[in-house]
Amino acid sequence: GDMPKVLDAIVGGWGISGIVRFSSGLPLRLEAQNTLATYGFSIQNARVANLADLNVDSRTPERWFNTAGASAPAPFTLGNSPRFTPNLRADGTHHADINLSKTFSFTERIRMQLRGEFYDITNTPQFAPPGVVFANPDFGQVNNTRFNDRRTIQLGLKLLF
C-alpha cells in the first residue's frame, strides 16, 4: 500500500495458485481366456508361479510387466493369480494446473485482472492400463493413453467494479 504507483504496477498485485494431483495407479488383474463361462465363472484368472517374476527393471509401454511370468491355466481348471496383483499397477496420475494473475488498481473501486491459466503444464502422458488377458496380442503392453488432455493455455481479462 505504501509503494510508489510505478513500482506497485510492476511488482504488486500478483497471485499464483495451482492444483497438483499425484496418485499411484490401480492394481492389475491378470486374466486368461475364459473356458469356464458355461459353469458360472465370469472371469478366468491367469496362472502365476511367482508374483516377483512379473516385475521388470524398467517399465516401458512395450513391456509393462514380464509376460513370461504368467501363463494360461490348464483347460477346465482355475488360475491362481490373485484378484489384484500387489506388485503390478497401471500408470498413476501426475497432473499440474497453474494459475498466474496480475491485478491492476485504477481507483479504489475499479480494478482489472489479467489471468493466465495453464492446464497440464507438464504435458506428461498418462498411460492407459496394459493388456491383462493372457494370449491376447496386447498382453503386457500399453497401447493407449488416458486423459487425452494436452497442455492448454488460456488468457483472461476481467474488469472488477
Side-chain angles (χ1 to χ4, degrees):
D2 295 335
M3 252 189 271
K5 285 270 188 193
V6 175
L7 187 59
D8 184 43
I10 297 170
V11 297
W14 285 98
I16 187 167
S17 64
I19 298 172
V20 180
R21 291 181 300 248
F22 291 103
S23 68
S24 61
L26 295 173
L28 299 176
R29 179 179 193 165
L30 299 182
E31 301 174 12
Q33 299 291 337
N34 192 355
T35 58
L36 300 174
T38 307
Y39 303 105
F41 293 92
S42 58
I43 294 176
Q44 171 73 300
N45 290 339
R47 191 172 71 76
V48 176
N50 185 355
L51 288 174
D53 293 343
L54 298 171
N55 295 333
V56 292
D57 292 333
S58 177
R59 284 190 172 149
T60 63
E62 295 79 24
R63 189 166 189 241
W64 198 258
F65 57 86
N66 181 14
T67 57
S71 62
F76 303 106
T77 61
L78 298 174
N80 67 343
S81 175
R83 183 172 181 189
F84 296 109
T85 53
N87 56 330
L88 292 184
R89 291 187 170 270
D91 191 26
T93 299
H94 26 278
H95 190 87
D97 301 333
I98 304 294
N99 176 0
L100 184 63
S101 65
K102 168 78 169 134
T103 303
F104 300 93
S105 295
F106 298 113
T107 67
E108 190 175 308
R109 294 187 65 223
I110 298 176
R111 296 173 311 211
M112 182 175 64
Q113 186 179 61
L114 177 64
R115 302 174 68 96
E117 295 169 344
F118 307 88
Y119 300 102
D120 194 15
I121 191 78
T122 60
N123 204 25
T124 306
Q126 311 284 310
F127 294 117
V132 293
V133 179
F134 183 78
N136 278 3
D138 68 343
F139 184 62
Q141 297 176 359
V142 174
N143 295 319
N144 235 332
T145 57
R146 56 191 174 98
F147 305 134
N148 292 329
D149 297 343
R150 293 174 290 284
R151 181 181 304 133
T152 304
I153 300 171
Q154 69 183 24
L155 300 174
L157 185 63
K158 181 167 51 170
L159 184 60
L160 305 160
F161 56 93

